[in-house]
Amino acid sequence: MSAHCQLTGAQPGFGNRVSHSHRRTSRRFDPNIQRKRYWLPSEGRYVRLTLSARAIKTVDTIGVEAAVARIRARGVKV
């Protein structure tokens, strides 16, 4: 599960490639997943999170402490 966001839960979507002749083959829409390291002041350590680009913006808005609390509420170990 490499293409999976820890904060938002974004996963790959599936669909079809449609050629010029309208033949369909399966394809995968991956979210824009990045690995990012944040300093967690309450624990005095860095945490490495696997986040989508939209989730990185969310962390910038709500702060890393609140984001880690949301991730832990989803049952993901940080």
Side-chain angles (χ1 to χ4, degrees), residues 11-56:
Q11 296 176 347
F14 293 90
N16 290 307
R17 281 189 182 86
V18 181
S19 69
H20 178 69
S21 64
H22 214 67
R23 290 176 66 104
R24 292 161 188 259
T25 55
S26 65
R27 64 159 294 175
R28 183 172 143 144
F29 296 91
D30 284 327
N32 185 4
I33 298 294
Q34 311 291 326
R35 285 185 49 90
K36 190 139 169 72
R37 194 173 83 142
Y38 289 100
W39 174 252
L40 198 58
S42 64
E43 298 181 14
R45 68 183 182 105
Y46 284 99
V47 291
R48 189 177 299 273
L49 302 176
T50 305
L51 302 171
S52 63
R54 185 181 67 176
I56 290 173

